[in-house]
Amino acid sequence: ETIFQKHMTKCLSEFEEYHSKLEDKKTRRTAHIVGRFKSLLENEAVEPLLKSSLKKKRDEELALVEKDFIAAQALLLDSYSQYLESSAPSPSFLPVTVDISILSKNVIIPSVKILPTDMVEDVKKKIRNHFTSVIGDAVTEFSLNNILSLANDRIEDAVVVNESVPIIQYHPLQGAVLLLHGPLICESDAPKKCFKEKYQADSGDTEDFYTCVTCDKSWICTNCIKCCHKGHTTSKHILNHLATWGICYCLKTKNCLLYKR
């Protein structure tokens, strides 16, 4: 019993310390917002209507800080509750729920679980899975410019994460943000090709074909209908067609911009 009380006391102390970090983050963000608006709101030269608008903007930002704090608290308590069913680990060894921000794509992957053993490569796998299964635009490669950083508080204070160490060593807080810098290359970023050019015999690949009413021509592939006939009146011709040769009649309309002869 004495040993159990000893370790429970230590565990609760570490929990309180971890929770206080969340409170400190809230306090810093609140002070930062109040400081930004203070001089303008106290300036007598500022018109009342503008002051009213500034107060509303300030209150909205403060409300967002409070919302983020409550959400981070809930995430911490939920993780802690689940793990206390079998043990009572330090919060620093619990999975952390973070958002992953892909800056070049303006995409945020919300509420991602980061395990104590997860490293940068594991985060990249989570990004790949999200882009493939949710967005439907597979990642083709990560470049040397795709650096990961961690922001526990303000984005401008983000710390670059070393690829060779677990992310947990950077002490991420619940609700923190992992930022992926540099251009992320996906399938949609690759140059578009006419089906006539990309067709491979026996590949089993199917293609959607369209009719361009404007050009009075059918059997035009997906990429050509989007690129070469943009703004034209079009309709579906045949979808999910298993072609036996590289068919696309866009070239016959003399509008083809994709096929390289």
Side-chain angles (χ1 to χ4, degrees):
E1 182 178 341
T2 302
I3 293 175
F4 178 78
Q5 289 178 345
K6 173 185 175 182
H7 288 283
M8 280 301 297
T9 300
K10 178 184 178 183
C11 194
L12 287 172
S13 175
E14 291 178 348
F15 178 88
E16 290 173 353
E17 179 181 353
Y18 197 84
H19 186 267
S20 71
K21 290 181 179 179
L22 294 178
E23 292 180 323
D24 290 343
K25 174 182 175 180
K26 174 189 172 184
T27 300
R28 289 195 302 272
R29 290 182 65 189
T30 299
H32 178 68
I33 292 170
V34 171
R36 279 173 43 220
F37 287 91
K38 183 177 180 182
S39 59
L40 288 172
L41 292 175
E42 292 179 352
N43 190 340
E44 295 181 357
V46 177
E47 296 179 359
L49 186 61
L50 179 56
K51 280 189 177 182
S52 177
S53 176
L54 289 170
K55 285 181 180 179
K56 182 180 179 181
K57 176 66 175 174
R58 179 198 62 188
D59 293 342
E60 287 174 350
E61 291 190 20
L62 290 174
L64 181 60
V65 170
E66 182 65 24
K67 181 181 178 181
D68 289 348
F69 174 71
I70 293 173
Q73 272 189 318
L75 290 169
L76 173 61
L77 292 172
D78 180 64
S79 291
Y80 209 55
S81 175
Q82 292 179 36
Y83 276 79
L84 280 177
E85 292 179 3
S86 57
S87 61
S90 163
S92 61
F93 290 99
L94 294 174
V96 179
T97 302
V98 304
D99 291 343
I100 301 177
S101 176
I102 316 300
L103 298 176
S104 66
K105 298 291 186 183
N106 197 27
V107 169
I108 294 179
I109 309 175
S111 304
V112 179
K113 294 279 187 186
I114 301 297
L115 302 177
T117 55
D118 279 348
M119 302 174 73
V120 170
E121 189 58 37
D122 298 296
V123 175
K124 289 181 177 179
K125 289 179 182 177
K126 297 177 192 295
I127 293 173
R128 282 187 184 276
N129 291 338
H130 182 84
F131 270 76
T132 300
S133 60
V134 178
I135 297 179
D137 188 13
V139 175
T140 56
E141 65 174 311
F142 287 95
S143 70
L144 295 176
N145 294 322
N146 290 140
I147 297 170
L148 199 70
S149 66
L150 170 69
N152 269 329
D153 197 344
R154 299 189 305 167
I155 298 299
E156 51 265 38
D157 295 331
V159 178
V160 174
V161 177
N162 190 317
E163 293 193 2
S164 62
V165 298
I167 294 171
I168 206 71
Q169 290 194 17
Y170 291 86
H171 308 294
L173 298 178
Q174 299 286 356
V177 179
L178 285 171
L179 302 108
L180 185 74
H181 303 263
L184 182 65
I185 309 301
C186 298
E187 287 183 348
S188 63
D189 298 311
K192 300 293 186 291
K193 291 184 178 181
C194 172
F195 182 73
K196 183 186 289 287
E197 185 178 1
K198 69 179 184 178
Y199 170 76
Q200 291 183 340
D202 302 322
S203 67
D205 293 339
T206 60
E207 179 74 9
D208 295 336
F209 290 92
Y210 298 82
T211 295
C212 179
V213 179
T214 304
C215 297
D216 191 26
K217 187 65 65 179
S218 297
W219 290 100
I220 298 175
C221 74
T222 301
N223 286 340
C224 282
I225 206 73
K226 290 180 178 178
C227 298
C228 313
H229 299 264
K230 186 176 181 180
H232 291 191
T233 301
T234 63
S235 62
K236 296 175 182 176
H237 179 61
I238 183 169
L239 303 182
N240 202 33
H241 178 64
L242 182 59
T244 56
W245 61 288
I247 181 174
C248 179
Y249 288 158
C250 178
L251 195 63
K252 293 185 178 183
T253 69
K254 303 191 184 302
N255 285 322
C256 193
L257 302 172
L258 302 184
Y259 184 60
K260 304 295 188 294
R261 286 184 281 182

